[in-house]
Amino acid sequence: MVEQPFTTWEDAVVWLRNQPDQRQLVLDAFYDDPLIDAAKRYFASGEWQAVSKFLENRTGKALDVGAGRGIASYALARSGFAVTALEPDPSVVVGTAAIRGLATEAGLPIEVVEEFSERLPFADGTFDVVFARAVLHHMRDLDSACREMFRVLRPGGMLIAAREHVISRESDLGAFLDQHPLHHLYGGEHAYLLDRYIGALRNARFAAIEVLSPLKSPINLFPHTIETLRAAVVERLTDKIPVRPVWRAALASRSVFTSLLSMAERFDHRPGRLYSFVCHKAQS
């Protein structure tokens, strides 16, 4: 096992931000300052725009689980929800102190609670929406975490678990961790089999579970969009067969390109590829 060079996530992120060659990764992870600029960029991103479509016509109280720096809390609050941000790390860079500062600067009423996701300190049926961005794959007790998120949802409520790492077999976990750009800094990354996520959500008694596969939704594609992914594919094909105008013409149609992506998913076994889950709690 590789020894991690940092003992806190804050130290790891501060180090990363000071590496000139990692600037794009910092931006893509929304670790840059000023935090309010990062939050605004997330709110405008294709990822959040896709999330917000699932939230249309929903109002009320939202819980942001594993809120980190608070970018999703900010987006939920700007979308009209009364937001509670749950985050165990008190850090001023990547934790609750950062969220409080962001809420104050943005003038948004975000309540901040320091606690872990496996034990939610809220009464049954408190929230209309639970949002968990890249949270479930960190859970040591995935079943307990899913049950807790179900418990605190009101009947008819929705859980969106976004950008969860998936492996095809347990033996892929090592390869995923080795290639992860941040795991070597502090650790804490993980990935589960797709059936493991779905099983935990079903066992928590969610009535309906929509699975968004890696290439199906902008939520999973970010920082790519369909357009930038198409450009990347054209570049890759041009490297193999240098006829760029032909590749551009062949993939010019969005519908044709998305159809090709759907076919490509059958052969997509990348360790750690991203899935998202939209889950509904039945009306009582």
Side-chain angles (χ1 to χ4, degrees):
M1 180 179 295
V2 177
E3 185 177 350
Q4 310 302 336
F6 299 103
T7 58
T8 70
W9 184 232
E10 177 182 302
D11 289 341
V13 170
V14 169
W15 177 87
L16 187 71
R17 294 200 304 199
N18 288 327
Q19 308 309 305
D21 61 334
Q22 297 296 327
R23 179 61 178 170
Q24 192 58 53
L25 176 58
V26 169
L27 291 171
D28 291 344
F30 302 100
Y31 289 149
D32 54 303
D33 282 335
L35 175 52
I36 193 160
D37 290 348
K40 289 177 179 178
R41 197 170 67 252
Y42 177 69
F43 184 70
S45 70
E47 177 190 332
W48 179 255
Q49 298 312 304
V51 169
S52 64
K53 290 181 180 178
F54 289 105
L55 299 175
E56 287 180 354
N57 302 318
R58 288 184 178 268
T59 58
K61 299 177 70 174
L63 174 64
D64 181 13
V65 177
R69 310 186 78 206
I71 59 169
S73 297
Y74 171 92
L76 286 162
R78 282 200 53 181
S79 299
F81 289 93
V83 179
T84 298
L86 185 103
E87 169 58 43
D89 191 334
S91 165
V92 71
V93 175
V94 291
T96 55
I99 303 170
R100 290 188 179 99
L102 174 63
T104 298
E105 184 172 1
L108 295 171
I110 298 172
E111 179 184 1
V112 182
V113 177
E114 287 185 17
E115 187 54 271
F116 289 90
S117 306
E118 289 94 339
R119 50 177 187 268
L120 299 179
F122 309 108
D124 296 359
T126 298
F127 299 99
D128 300 280
V129 170
V130 173
F131 185 70
R133 184 180 189 266
V135 169
L136 295 185
H137 65 261
H138 291 288
M139 296 298 165
R140 294 182 180 179
D141 189 341
L142 181 61
D143 293 285
S144 176
C146 290
R147 286 195 300 268
E148 279 290 273
M149 293 179 198
F150 178 88
R151 179 184 65 79
V152 301
L153 274 173
R154 291 173 179 161
M158 172 190 288
L159 163 67
I160 300 178
R163 297 174 65 82
E164 300 296 348
H165 291 299
V166 166
I167 50 177
S168 297
R169 49 189 177 272
E170 296 289 356
S171 58
D172 287 343
L173 181 58
F176 162 64
L177 295 179
D178 286 344
Q179 71 181 10
H180 194 284
L182 302 176
H183 181 71
H184 69 285
L185 296 178
Y186 178 62
E189 288 297 330
H190 194 65
Y192 289 105
L193 300 172
L194 180 60
D195 286 347
R196 182 73 183 87
Y197 288 108
I198 296 173
L201 293 166
R202 284 177 175 164
N203 290 339
R205 296 188 292 127
F206 282 101
I209 302 168
E210 182 177 357
V211 179
L212 307 181
S213 53
L215 303 176
K216 181 179 179 180
S217 170
I219 299 172
N220 302 320
L221 287 178
F222 184 84
H224 274 299
T225 63
I226 290 291
E227 289 70 26
T228 62
L229 184 61
R230 178 165 46 196
V233 170
V234 168
E235 289 299 318
R236 182 68 63 88
L237 292 172
T238 300
D239 288 343
K240 296 181 179 299
I241 305 176
V243 286
R244 188 188 309 272
V246 173
W247 297 127
R248 281 180 174 169
L251 300 178
S253 166
R254 185 185 179 96
S255 61
V256 168
F257 183 64
T258 53
S259 295
L260 290 173
L261 289 181
S262 296
M263 290 187 287
E265 282 191 340
R266 302 176 188 176
F267 309 99
D268 184 9
H269 300 292
R270 293 168 294 144
R273 61 198 181 277
L274 295 173
Y275 278 75
S276 295
F277 308 92
V278 181
C279 313
H280 299 267
K281 185 171 183 175
Q283 294 280 359
S284 57

